[in-house]
Amino acid sequence: MSMTSLQTLEFSSTTIRPPNGDGLENLKLIYAFLLPPMMLTLLVAILGNGTIVISAHKLMYPVSPYLKLCVSLAAADAWAALLMITGLVVNSLMPVMLGVKKQTMCVDAVLEIFRMSGMLTSDWHLFALAINQLIGTMWPLNYKMIISSRRLRLLVMLLWVIPLIFTGSWFFLTPGDGFRHPKCVFVFYNRFAPFRITIFTVFMLPLLATLVIYTIILKHLVKAKERFDKSACVIGSIRSAPRRNHVNSRLKLVWTTLLVVSTFTLSWGICVVYFVLVCKQGCAFIYMRHVGLYSGIFFGSTVNCLVILKLAVNPFIYTLRIPVIRRSVEAFLGKRLCRKVGGGGGAATGEQHSSTEHSPSNC
């Protein structure tokens, strides 16, 4: 089922016509039950991730590469949520609920390019976060030299641009297919090979590498923590406290990122597995042969809901577990609230805010 569509019953925006008569009425009832909560949750995801991105200018300087990557990842999640809600309107609400007939698949193709590239962007962001934390953990003295601001800006740009170029190129490769078809019908998308297996591979390899890297980091930090705990008994807790606190803070940061990676794996990861297993040609399960209409709706809506919940949960993970991000959001929201309550005035309001706490409570 498409992440952007309930009608298509696949991962993509493939053209599956809804049934007629009683079947169509049943489908409308199912959509009427599924669409509102999904769209509402996506709005929460857009607002939550968007707030983190907009609040980024309130982050305390210097802003670490980890935080910059987290903000970029939040932007990717907000973009993905926006594309999903657009896809639900274009691919489900309009054709099924409102009976609007599509004359071309060009809009679907554009949505699919941006949606899939956004999925890969999020995946590669997590891989970049893992590499960043690996370097900071294993080679802390060389960290600033390796992860410079210039290199990080280039990396973030590539994380957004390369997936878009890679995904979009597939829609121009085959004569008479994709954008080279008068109605943009992308038949290649419905086949196991080469498109689906390629997307599966490009997605899964960085994700698996990310999990391996975090296993290495955790082992290293747990051993370091054990050494500091033992040394505390010998040299005294006061002398060893700074190094032990540093290790503990790194451990907390790693567990936070692992929480994000876990939700990502249980949502987009399951989605990609479904994508490579169920299609029209060449997959292990052929749509409308092994997977019927209503079973497709069940599996597809389940996959969709997992992704939607992931997009909505991530902002809470950031704000609850990363104090710096929480303070930036509080500062941004507090400033907006103060402007509304106080009519936008206040040199005094600005003076009351602490540069270190960014507290919104000083209205």
Side-chain angles (χ1 to χ4, degrees):
M1 175 173 176
S2 170
M3 307 268 216
T4 60
S5 170
L6 288 174
Q7 174 197 348
T8 57
L9 311 179
E10 291 190 43
F11 188 88
S12 68
S13 300
T14 44
T15 52
I16 306 295
R17 294 182 179 180
N20 297 318
D22 293 338
L24 179 58
E25 292 304 316
N26 292 336
L27 204 59
K28 285 184 177 181
L29 288 174
I30 295 173
Y31 281 23
F33 174 76
L34 291 175
L35 285 178
M38 292 173 76
M39 296 178 76
L40 182 61
T41 309
L42 284 170
L43 286 174
V44 172
I46 293 170
L47 291 174
N49 288 288
T51 300
I52 290 175
V53 176
I54 297 172
S55 305
H57 70 283
K58 294 287 187 180
L59 288 170
M60 292 172 55
Y61 286 93
V63 182
S64 68
Y66 177 86
L67 291 176
K68 290 178 181 178
L69 286 171
C70 283
V71 171
S72 184
L73 180 58
D77 286 344
W79 177 237
L82 179 62
L83 290 172
M84 287 185 68
I85 202 168
T86 304
L88 287 173
V89 172
V90 172
N91 296 322
S92 299
L93 183 64
M94 293 175 63
V96 177
M97 302 297 292
L98 303 179
V100 178
K101 294 184 179 180
K102 295 182 182 181
Q103 302 300 322
T104 176
M105 294 295 294
C106 292
V107 174
D108 302 67
V110 172
L111 281 174
E112 200 61 21
I113 289 172
F114 281 106
R115 186 192 58 77
M116 294 201 68
S117 67
M119 177 191 70
L120 294 177
T121 293
S122 297
D123 184 34
W124 296 0
H125 266 80
L126 293 175
F127 182 56
L129 279 169
I131 294 295
N132 173 74
Q133 289 185 289
L134 179 68
I135 295 172
T137 301
M138 307 299 289
W139 304 281
L141 298 179
N142 299 323
Y143 177 79
K144 290 185 178 180
M145 182 180 66
I146 298 172
I147 311 294
S148 64
S149 297
R150 183 178 178 181
R151 288 176 179 173
L152 185 66
R153 285 194 297 269
L154 178 62
L155 174 64
V156 170
M157 183 186 70
L158 293 177
L159 290 175
W160 282 86
V161 173
I162 291 179
L164 185 61
I165 295 174
F166 171 75
T167 306
S169 63
W170 285 90
F171 289 76
F172 293 93
L173 287 176
T174 308
D177 202 356
F179 288 119
R180 299 175 70 177
H181 186 280
K183 294 186 177 181
C184 303
V185 176
F186 36 111
V187 179
F188 72 92
Y189 203 110
N190 300 317
R191 297 169 180 160
F192 174 78
F195 181 73
R196 295 198 173 215
I197 187 61
T198 301
I199 294 296
F200 176 81
T201 303
V202 170
F203 178 91
M204 280 297 179
L205 287 180
L207 184 59
L208 293 175
T210 298
L211 294 172
V212 171
I213 289 171
Y214 277 117
T215 301
I216 295 171
I217 294 173
L218 277 175
K219 286 183 177 180
H220 178 82
L221 290 177
V222 169
K223 287 182 180 179
K225 186 176 183 300
E226 290 175 352
R227 287 199 304 270
F228 290 137
D229 289 342
K230 290 179 180 179
S231 65
C233 300
V234 179
I235 64 176
S237 58
I238 296 177
R239 292 176 57 187
S240 62
R243 297 173 67 187
R244 187 170 66 251
N245 291 339
H246 178 71
V247 171
N248 288 335
S249 65
R250 280 195 170 275
L251 266 173
K252 183 179 179 181
L253 208 60
V254 169
W255 282 117
T256 299
T257 314
L258 268 176
L259 191 58
V260 175
V261 173
S262 299
T263 58
F264 185 88
T265 303
L266 293 174
S267 54
W268 287 110
I270 292 176
C271 242
V272 173
V273 171
Y274 184 79
F275 173 64
V276 81
L277 287 178
V278 181
C279 66
K280 287 184 178 179
Q281 298 179 31
C283 290
F285 302 95
I286 305 301
Y287 179 72
M288 297 306 291
R289 185 189 302 170
H290 304 113
V291 179
L293 178 65
Y294 294 108
S295 59
I297 291 177
F298 172 77
F299 290 120
S301 60
T302 301
V303 167
N304 261 355
C305 288
L306 288 174
V307 174
I308 291 170
L309 288 173
K310 178 264 177 191
L311 294 174
V313 164
N314 269 7
F316 295 99
I317 296 175
Y318 295 138
T319 53
L320 290 175
R321 294 189 59 88
I322 305 179
V324 179
I325 290 181
R326 182 174 63 252
R327 287 195 292 268
S328 71
V329 171
E330 289 173 348
F332 173 76
L333 295 179
K335 185 176 181 180
R336 298 296 167 186
L337 181 61
C338 287
R339 285 182 178 178
K340 289 182 179 180
V341 173
T349 299
E351 291 173 0
Q352 290 172 4
H353 282 270
S354 168
S355 60
T356 56
E357 292 299 326
H358 296 280
S359 173
S361 61
N362 296 323
C363 298

